[in-house]
């Protein structure tokens, strides 16, 4: 499993954009993790799936609410990564009203989750291989803080915990 001090794995996530801009066309666009994280401080959180109860009711809304405080603490971008396709992540972004606050990034084949060692096997629940619930503070592509949840828990990957780490 990835740990503090490690570099994020080379991977490509996908992002759905509804509006053209900054060189991004409408539709799914590739996001090279290495390029996108270089020179930035990123509050990155991973979760099992779009529209799932805890993710929709607590996890994503917390980061949307703490956006201004995270920015003030030096965070350049907030990334939400989930094992879903870019179209689902785009629809969920609309539903959660993430706007320009949280980048909703799709890890459709779980390649990023596998590369970080942060997978969760939900095959018995009909969901296949997913991402574990976690958060990490990433500085210039390296993990500065990592908070991995226990099975079925939501105690350490919330926005308030990562905000405290960003301030520290």
């Amino acid at each position: 499993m990835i740990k503090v001090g490690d570099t994020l794995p080379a991977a490509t996530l996908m992002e759905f954009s509804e509006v053209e801009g900054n060189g991004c066309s409408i539709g799914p666009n590739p996001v090279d993790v290495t390029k996108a994280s270089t020179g930035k401080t990123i509050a990155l959180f991973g979760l099992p799936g779009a529209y799932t109860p805890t993710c929709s009711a607590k996890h994503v809304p917390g980061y949307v609410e703490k956006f201004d405080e995270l920015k003030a603490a030096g965070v350049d971008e907030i990334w939400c990564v989930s094992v879903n396709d870019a179209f689902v992540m785009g629809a969920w972004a609309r539903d959660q009203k993430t706007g320009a606050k949280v980048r909703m990034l799709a890890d459709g084949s779980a390649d990023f989750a596998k590369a970080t060692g942060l997978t969760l096997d939900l095959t018995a629940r009909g969901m296949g291989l997913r991402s574990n619930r976690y958060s990490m503070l990433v500085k210039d592509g390296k993990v500065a803080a990592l908070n991995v949840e226990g099975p079925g828990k939501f105690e350490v990957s919330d926005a308030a915990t990562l905000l405290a780490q960003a301030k520290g």
Side-chain angles (χ1 to χ4, degrees), residues 104-165:
M104 303 296 275
L105 301 172
D107 183 20
S109 298
D111 292 337
F112 185 77
K114 291 175 200 169
T116 60
L118 292 166
T119 57
L120 180 64
D121 188 352
L122 294 177
T123 303
R125 296 170 118 184
M127 294 173 68
L129 186 66
R130 295 293 178 134
S131 170
N132 200 349
R133 185 181 308 282
Y134 67 89
S135 67
M136 65 173 75
L137 188 65
V138 179
K139 294 185 178 185
D140 195 25
K142 291 192 184 302
V143 179
L146 178 63
N147 312 294
V148 181
E149 296 287 0
K153 301 288 184 189
F154 180 62
E155 301 169 341
V156 298
S157 63
D158 60 301
T161 299
L162 206 59
L163 174 61
Q165 292 168 332

Side-chain angles (χ1 to χ4, degrees), residues 2-109:
I2 197 167
K3 61 189 179 310
V4 172
D6 287 353
T7 300
L8 288 180
T12 301
L13 299 170
M14 297 299 287
E15 184 174 33
F16 183 82
S17 299
E18 293 194 348
V19 185
E20 283 191 72
N22 295 334
C24 291
S25 62
I26 293 175
N29 293 288
V31 176
D32 180 303
V33 170
T34 303
K35 288 180 186 173
S37 64
T38 300
K40 295 179 187 168
T41 297
I42 298 167
L44 187 157
F45 64 104
L47 36 78
Y51 296 102
T52 55
T54 301
C55 304
S56 290
K58 297 177 183 174
H59 217 171
V60 173
Y63 281 91
V64 172
E65 289 168 15
K66 298 283 186 200
F67 172 79
D68 290 330
E69 292 175 74
L70 285 159
K71 290 294 260 186
V75 170
D76 297 302
E77 294 181 5
I78 303 170
W79 294 4
C80 172
V81 179
S82 184
V83 180
N84 291 104
D85 65 63
F87 296 103
V88 168
M89 292 300 283
W92 196 33
R94 218 174 17 257
D95 180 67
Q96 291 286 305
K97 298 175 179 51
T98 60
K101 294 180 177 181
V102 179
R103 293 183 76 177
M104 303 296 275
L105 301 172
D107 183 20
S109 298

